[in-house]
Amino acid sequence: MMQVLPTLLSVEKSGRLPVYLQVANQLMTLIRNGTLQPGYRLLSTRQLALMLKVHRRTVVQAYDELLAQGWLESHTGNGTFVAKNLPEIQPSEPKVNGQRVAANLKSAGFQFDVPEYLNRPVLKAGTRLHLDDGFPDPRLAPLEDLSRAYRSQLLNGNPYVRLGYGDTKGSLWLRQELSAYLNETRGLKTTSENILIVRGVIMGIHLTTAGLIKPGDYVAVDSPGWFGANMNFVHAGAKVVEVPVDEYGMDVDALEKICMKQPIRLLYVTSHHHYPTTVALRADRRINLMKLAEKYGFIVFEDDYDYDFHYLSKPLLPLAGADPTGMVLYCGSFTKTISPALRVGYLVGAEDVISYLARFRRIVDRQGDQMLENALAELFKTGVLQRHLRKSVRVYKQRRDTFCELMKTHLNDYVNFQVPDGGMAVWTRFDPAIDLKALAAKALQKDLYFSDGSASNLPPALAGGVRLGFASSNQSELEESVEIMTALI
């Protein structure tokens, strides 16, 4: 072994890791896998240094590191040994389920199940052209203003407070600015204590589900709906009940019939621009829905993911604005306002439930990015975000009109759609004769992405329906995208 040992060690003098740590880590590995047994006498530092062609002090440092960690023990005048108190390990190749494990682990050594509801593709930016799910154009975002505000938060003020732990509810400044903004634009009646800052709508759903839903509870969702929300309900052990959606939004009469049969704990609804179809919940249904919530005592989780982008008239006020009894949890985010990479959202509700969910949030995330939250608060205070929203609404309306006209001109024989009153995507139904998966795959080869419909979990009656996002593309990109689709069809 004394002669073989140097062949088991190798050093890379130009590597990032110091040579002494390379030697120490390799010796540690040989001890762990049983190649070097407890009590084995190592080469002297001088001998090993000569064989590895390194300075003796390098080997001394390596031995000292392992001595400090308890892998080795030294006997003055007798040498350095593998610690005798280590358990004896038989040299063997590690295996998992009878299969040899590669140097880079790909399979865990323990068993675990992957629930079917987690098998959902993750959408990632990558193609030059994209008719996505309805995302904003980050090229319009006030990035310079945000950068200056963030830098200011990094450098100014008391560093212990600025860079330390903050309120679990999120930045007080942002909650105050948001409260004023939501009260003014959405008709809410909030204070900062009614708001919990989260990392996006999906976190708001997760906290609500984990904190307020018990296994066996009934949760009503719109159908078709957002699979991302449904995943949380299924994971919590809830029984998901689907409520049909038509051209006027969720069928509230159908919801009432469901309530008569079983106790609904929570209703998830996208009332303003229904996901995925973009239709708005009609006024009479809004009134009746809130009456049902009070009558049957269920929570209304209102996902208002793109409230600010409405083009026909002023946006419809959310259900939360007509909720005197505190039945609604209202959730939105800056994902659609600025960029999906900006993970800041808000959950609004009664003070007691917000305080509870803030305490519950500590289980998964002690707090958010307080400096980013304060930077956003500054943009609210200075009016930068409000100006950005006004500009974005004008630009996205133009892009909606351009895109719908392009589809009407070039794809009218192959698609069916209604011009949406708001939002960032057009709900589009393709001719059943068109193989949507094949079409999307061919478009991807042309550097154009759009959904193939497989992730939407649509009922058969809505097969061939996809959301085609227009907001993230400028006019020339929209024209090229439609040209590619037309040529492929």
Side-chain angles (χ1 to χ4, degrees):
M1 177 57 69
M2 202 169 283
Q3 295 172 347
V4 174
L5 181 59
T7 66
L8 300 176
L9 303 175
S10 62
V11 295
E12 186 180 347
K13 294 182 180 179
S14 60
R16 291 186 177 182
L17 198 65
V19 174
Y20 84 93
L21 282 181
Q22 295 180 39
V23 175
N25 289 343
Q26 291 174 59
L27 285 171
M28 192 189 309
T29 300
L30 293 174
I31 296 170
R32 276 179 171 155
N33 64 26
T35 303
L36 299 181
Q37 292 289 335
Y40 172 76
R41 185 178 185 276
L42 295 177
L43 295 172
S44 70
T45 54
R46 189 184 305 278
Q47 288 174 311
L48 187 56
L50 286 171
M51 291 179 177
L52 293 178
K53 298 180 181 178
V54 298
H55 198 283
R56 183 187 174 192
R57 278 182 298 187
T58 299
V59 179
V60 170
Q61 279 184 290
Y63 281 12
D64 286 345
E65 182 72 21
L66 296 178
L67 285 165
Q69 294 185 32
W71 294 101
L72 302 181
E73 57 188 35
S74 178
H75 301 293
T76 305
N78 198 21
T80 304
F81 300 81
V82 176
K84 292 179 181 178
N85 63 346
L86 294 174
E88 192 168 316
I89 302 170
Q90 293 301 318
S92 63
E93 291 184 339
K95 295 183 179 180
V96 175
N97 299 327
Q99 301 295 318
R100 183 175 179 274
V101 178
N104 54 330
L105 284 174
K106 294 185 178 180
S107 300
F110 50 86
Q111 296 291 330
F112 63 96
D113 296 324
V114 180
E116 182 60 33
Y117 59 83
L118 294 181
N119 293 328
R120 180 169 173 258
V122 177
L123 179 59
K124 294 178 286 188
T127 56
R128 185 177 63 86
L129 300 170
H130 33 79
L131 299 173
D132 50 43
D133 197 52
F135 299 149
D137 189 343
R139 293 172 294 191
L140 302 179
L143 299 181
E144 290 186 6
D145 294 292
L146 179 59
S147 176
R148 280 194 293 269
Y150 195 90
R151 177 179 171 82
S152 175
Q153 289 302 313
L154 279 172
L155 300 179
N156 300 326
N158 184 332
Y160 183 81
V161 174
R162 188 180 68 247
L163 301 175
Y165 285 114
D167 195 325
T168 315
K169 290 182 181 178
S171 157
L172 175 60
W173 187 13
L174 179 57
R175 288 187 287 124
Q176 290 171 335
E177 293 293 337
L178 261 176
S179 175
Y181 178 73
L182 295 175
N183 293 348
E184 179 183 350
T185 61
R186 288 151 170 79
L188 304 187
K189 298 176 180 64
T190 67
T191 69
S192 61
E193 296 304 304
N194 295 114
I195 299 175
L196 170 62
I197 303 300
V198 291
R199 290 193 183 272
V201 170
I202 196 70
M203 185 178 185
I205 294 171
H206 178 74
L207 290 177
T208 300
T209 304
L212 300 174
I213 302 297
K214 297 177 181 177
D217 282 348
Y218 286 92
V219 173
V221 301
D222 34 22
S223 178
W226 185 34
F227 192 67
N230 294 355
M231 288 169 65
N232 276 277
F233 306 139
V234 173
H235 185 72
K239 298 177 180 178
V240 176
V241 183
E242 296 183 343
V243 185
V245 171
D246 57 26
E247 67 270 29
Y248 304 115
M250 178 178 283
D251 186 341
V252 178
D253 291 335
L255 173 63
E256 184 169 18
K257 291 177 182 177
I258 292 170
C259 291
M260 292 176 180
K261 294 179 181 178
Q262 57 243 336
I264 299 299
R265 173 60 172 163
L266 180 143
L267 168 72
Y268 170 82
V269 62
T270 47
S271 61
H272 196 213
H273 302 137
H274 169 255
Y275 185 94
T277 67
T278 75
V279 299
L281 186 62
R282 200 170 61 184
D284 60 318
R285 294 189 178 186
R286 289 168 174 261
I287 295 171
N288 291 334
L289 189 154
M290 292 308 299
K291 287 181 178 178
L292 289 180
E294 291 184 39
K295 181 179 179 180
Y296 292 99
F298 57 77
I299 305 162
V300 177
F301 189 100
E302 185 176 16
D303 179 353
D304 209 354
Y305 61 97
D306 60 1
Y307 174 88
D308 292 292
F309 302 103
H310 201 73
Y311 315 120
L312 183 63
S313 58
K314 286 188 176 181
L316 301 174
L317 294 180
L319 299 172
D323 174 34
T325 56
M327 304 304 295
V328 179
L329 288 173
Y330 179 76
C331 200
S333 80
F334 295 98
T335 295
K336 299 295 190 291
T337 306
I338 299 177
S339 164
L342 198 74
R343 306 308 303 166
V344 179
Y346 46 88
L347 182 63
V348 182
E351 287 187 19
D352 57 352
V353 74
I354 289 299
S355 294
Y356 163 62
L357 293 178
R359 292 193 295 271
F360 197 88
R361 179 234 177 97
R362 295 182 68 178
I363 296 175
V364 294
D365 190 16
R366 169 59 177 80
Q367 67 185 63
D369 185 339
Q370 185 148 302
M371 287 178 291
L372 177 59
E373 293 170 13
N374 282 335
L376 287 172
E378 183 175 325
L379 297 192
F380 266 116
K381 184 177 181 179
T382 56
V384 169
L385 274 180
Q386 293 89 325
R387 290 192 295 274
H388 166 67
L389 283 169
R390 289 194 293 270
K391 174 186 174 182
S392 298
V393 167
R394 292 195 301 270
V395 172
Y396 293 158
K397 181 180 183 298
Q398 292 172 350
R399 292 180 180 181
R400 178 204 65 172
D401 295 342
T402 296
F403 182 57
C404 289
E405 186 60 35
L406 285 168
M407 286 211 294
K408 184 177 179 181
T409 301
H410 299 283
L411 297 170
N412 199 46
D413 294 337
Y414 310 106
V415 300
N416 181 31
F417 69 93
Q418 297 291 328
V419 178
D421 294 339
M424 300 179 172
V426 178
W427 175 245
T428 308
R429 300 283 305 281
F430 280 79
D431 189 305
I434 295 175
D435 185 337
L436 192 53
K437 287 188 177 181
L439 180 63
K442 291 177 182 177
L444 206 57
Q445 295 175 357
K446 302 285 186 181
D447 216 8
L448 166 64
Y449 167 82
F450 59 86
S451 172
D452 64 5
S454 60
S456 301
N457 199 30
L458 296 174
L462 294 179
V466 293
R467 286 166 61 89
L468 298 179
F470 55 81
S472 60
S473 304
N474 60 32
Q475 181 171 332
S476 63
E477 290 165 344
L478 291 172
E479 290 173 351
E480 188 176 355
S481 297
V482 173
E483 285 175 6
I484 290 172
M485 292 178 70
T486 304
L488 290 175
I489 290 176

